Amino acid sequence: MSQQIVSEGVSVTVAQKLREDPAVKQSIQTLLDAIQRHQASITGPREADPELAEQYQKTVEEFYSLRGGKLFFPFLGSGIGKGSLVELDDGSVKYDFINGIGVHHFGHSHPKVTEAMLWGAMSDAVMEGNLQQNTDSHAFSKKILEMANVGGAGFDHCFLTSCGVMAGENALKIAMQKKFPAHRVLAFEGCFAGRTTTFSQITDKPKFREGLPSMLNVHYIPFYDESSGSDSIEKSVTALKAHLARYPGEFTAMIFELVQGEGGFYTAPVEFHRALIDVLKENNVAVLFDEVQTFARTHALFAYQHYELDELADIVWFGKASQVCGTLFRKEFAPRPGLLSQTFTASSGAIHAGCAILEELDSGDYFGPDGKIARQHAYFRSHLERLCEKYPDKMAGPFGIGAMVALTPFGGEAAKVQALLHDLYRRGVMGFIAGGNPMRFRFLIPIGAVTEADIDAVVEILDQALAEAD
Ligand SMILES: Cc1ncc(COP(=O)(O)O)c(C=O)c1O
């Protein structure tokens, strides 16, 4: 999509001629070759270069001060990586199995993604949005709608935006305008929805809304609890019905994370979701799927496709791995003019990269029960099961689905989980925390880049860390 073909004898734009210019193509190839040549020396995790370490530490400290707070890891990337590996500015190299919490799903310096960004970098505009959208925004919207509708979802529109929570805000605004004057929102206990003032009210974490005024009436439903099976379905349906009975006609929407992300990679059988959706549909409450974290991580592009809930989805939003975020909806939900707009959609580079990622996901062998996502999950899982058997007092799990894999170390005791994560970081593997009680740690497998050898190496490091952990 980045390079459109110039047809013979047909009028073409200056930009099309530029894209077809052999000298431009050659220059891009030269840059890609240079990246590949330099990447070749990134072969595995390594420690910081002693000559760079001191300056790096100073830069990190200064950055903490500039941004007004520490980062979870003292990480400043150098700007290059190779697949699952990323180089830091102190010359160290780490396995990145969290990829910026889900952004670098194709790993680091992936040739197709880099090439797309280079084409995007030649665009006249740094950022697209509002009054200026280029043809790549059109191409992205068309492609994602086509892929979102393969199972019969029937979405008519995709409104692009710059981050996951804005895509969620847009979804909720659309639902609220449609369902006015209903205004209450339902969500799952332990959910994460984002961090705007409004969405901090939905995100079920008191620390994330400390000091913020309550802008929204949010009512929570327990997520599926595997240990109580069908009783759990009944419990959640009962809770939902109780909320609906207490405030009849006042509920706009329920927000589903079909797999809980920040909450700890908890899954639920499809009957659980269907039982709740049946009640919501009977009560004219919109069904909203937040796919910011699940996008391209289950056995289908969207988790609603994985669970075959296509026709039941009213509004869906996605982000992270897609680079540019967006909200999908049918024409019945189309907002009146004025409700949605913004200055920035995303950078031209990000939109070009998003297009290339969609093409690759569509044409590659990623999805389905035997696709790369399922295969790498099974491979990783079998190793992690072995580790859990080897260290029964230190590790439980694995949990999750597809590219989302979690473990519960040390019974989920927060301080110990975090200490283990930092120890892994020092040893050359990046994961992240999830959930609170118990605290888990999670990996987001960089599925577009990962190899079995990467997984073997990560498991080996985890094994060593567990062997030495108290
Ligand atoms: C499920 C879910 N929704 C929304 C968001 C917010 O996305 P963003 O941080 O891009 O605004 C996240 C981010 O982690 C998420 O996991």
Side-chain angles (χ1 to χ4, degrees):
M1 269 180 283
S2 303
Q3 315 160 57
Q4 281 129 358
I5 306 301
V6 182
S7 329
E8 204 93 354
V10 175
S11 296
V12 293
T13 62
V14 175
Q16 279 173 312
K17 285 182 192 159
L18 173 71
R19 286 193 286 267
E20 281 303 307
D21 185 332
V24 171
K25 288 185 177 178
Q26 184 51 52
S27 304
I28 287 192
Q29 194 52 51
T30 304
L31 289 170
L32 291 171
D33 292 345
I35 293 171
Q36 199 185 10
R37 238 182 5 261
H38 287 278
Q39 274 182 321
S41 62
I42 300 176
T43 52
R46 63 172 174 243
E47 292 192 1
D49 179 332
E51 286 184 23
L52 300 175
E54 195 181 328
Q55 181 54 46
Y56 179 84
Q57 198 49 42
K58 280 189 193 149
T59 311
V60 168
E61 295 295 338
E62 191 177 29
F63 186 50
Y64 288 170
S65 156
L66 291 169
R67 73 188 290 279
K70 280 188 161 190
L71 296 163
F72 187 81
F73 292 128
F75 179 100
L76 282 179
S78 70
I80 195 166
K82 186 177 163 209
S84 306
L85 293 163
V86 61
E87 185 192 53
L88 277 61
D89 208 44
D90 60 3
S92 65
V93 173
K94 299 191 189 295
Y95 276 108
D96 183 4
F97 265 42
I98 192 62
N99 36 95
I101 320 191
V103 183
H104 321 301
H105 200 35
F106 276 69
H108 293 272
S109 306
H110 187 285
K112 285 188 183 165
V113 177
T114 308
E115 181 180 352
M117 285 197 294
L118 289 170
W119 287 105
M122 287 201 306
S123 160
D124 63 311
V126 179
M127 300 291 283
E128 297 183 26
N130 207 341
L131 293 185
Q132 178 162 2
Q133 312 245 12
N134 288 351
T135 51
D136 45 354
S137 287
H138 164 265
F140 183 93
S141 305
K142 193 166 172 187
K143 186 72 192 170
I144 195 129
L145 277 166
E146 183 191 305
M147 292 171 80
N149 285 333
V150 287
F155 291 117
D156 299 295
H157 307 292
C158 171
F159 188 87
L160 300 180
T161 191
S162 50
C163 66
V165 74
M166 275 313 301
E169 287 271 355
N170 290 338
L172 190 58
K173 283 161 78 176
I174 292 170
M176 285 189 153
Q177 191 175 70
K178 169 84 182 166
K179 303 282 181 186
F180 182 81
H183 55 92
R184 293 177 191 273
V185 171
L186 293 147
F188 285 124
E189 286 174 7
C191 75
F192 183 87
R195 292 172 179 276
T196 56
T197 315
T198 302
F199 269 55
S200 298
Q201 307 301 315
I202 300 170
T203 294
D204 189 21
K205 208 152 185 185
K207 241 175 114 176
F208 292 1
R209 59 170 94 98
E210 203 178 288
L212 302 183
S214 183
M215 322 274 286
L216 193 69
N217 288 308
V218 188
H219 304 259
Y220 293 96
I221 310 288
F223 194 73
Y224 182 70
D225 174 7
E226 208 176 271
S227 64
S228 51
S230 59
D231 287 351
S232 163
I233 302 182
E234 206 181 307
K235 187 175 161 198
S236 296
V237 168
T238 305
L240 172 60
K241 286 181 174 167
H243 290 311
L244 294 169
R246 188 166 296 123
Y247 299 106
E250 291 192 23
F251 285 94
T252 299
M254 173 152 176
I255 296 176
F256 287 73
E257 266 181 285
L258 291 168
V259 177
Q260 287 211 303
E262 309 292 308
F265 291 179
Y266 291 92
T267 57
V270 67
E271 305 82 66
F272 173 77
H273 295 304
R274 277 191 181 276
L276 293 171
I277 292 170
D278 283 350
V279 177
L280 295 166
K281 296 275 174 191
E282 277 161 25
N283 287 273
N284 192 29
V285 179
V287 173
L288 273 49
F289 293 152
D290 176 345
E291 297 249 16
V292 172
Q293 194 148 165
T294 46
F295 178 80
R297 292 203 164 81
T298 63
H299 298 176
L301 185 67
F302 290 95
Y304 72 77
Q305 296 171 324
H306 173 96
Y307 289 109
E308 299 182 3
L309 296 169
D310 304 64
E311 280 113 20
L312 301 175
D314 286 319
I315 307 176
V316 170
W317 61 103
F318 58 88
K320 293 189 186 273
S322 54
Q323 311 304 315
V324 54
C325 306
T327 309
L328 305 172
F329 52 99
R330 292 192 201 87
K331 49 181 179 295
E332 305 88 84
F333 277 88
R336 291 189 287 282
L339 194 73
L340 305 186
S341 188
Q342 75 238 321
T343 300
F344 291 154
T345 297
S347 71
S348 301
I351 299 170
H352 274 256
C355 288
I357 286 168
L358 290 184
E359 284 293 346
E360 175 63 17
L361 288 170
D362 200 23
S363 59
D365 166 33
Y366 292 95
F367 301 116
D370 302 315
K372 185 176 182 190
I373 294 178
R375 289 198 308 272
Q376 297 296 30
H377 177 91
Y379 188 74
F380 199 12
R381 189 178 190 94
S382 64
H383 276 308
L384 295 174
E385 277 166 355
R386 189 176 46 75
L387 282 192
C388 292
E389 278 166 27
K390 188 170 171 187
Y391 302 104
D393 301 334
K394 296 182 180 178
M395 188 71 94
F399 310 101
I401 182 172
M404 307 165 81
V405 176
L407 294 155
T408 308
F410 306 110
E413 207 183 309
K416 286 191 165 183
V417 177
Q418 298 200 29
L420 180 63
L421 269 174
H422 285 287
D423 184 38
L424 280 176
Y425 178 84
R426 278 188 293 276
R427 292 169 190 264
V429 172
M430 289 166 66
F432 196 46
I433 51 172
N437 188 23
M439 181 173 280
R440 287 179 165 181
F441 83 61
R442 61 179 149 154
F443 293 121
L444 288 167
I445 309 173
I447 220 74
V450 75
T451 62
E452 289 189 352
D454 293 335
I455 293 177
D456 291 344
V458 166
V459 170
E460 174 67 30
I461 293 169
L462 184 54
D463 193 345
Q464 287 163 10
L466 285 170
E468 289 171 33
D470 306 323

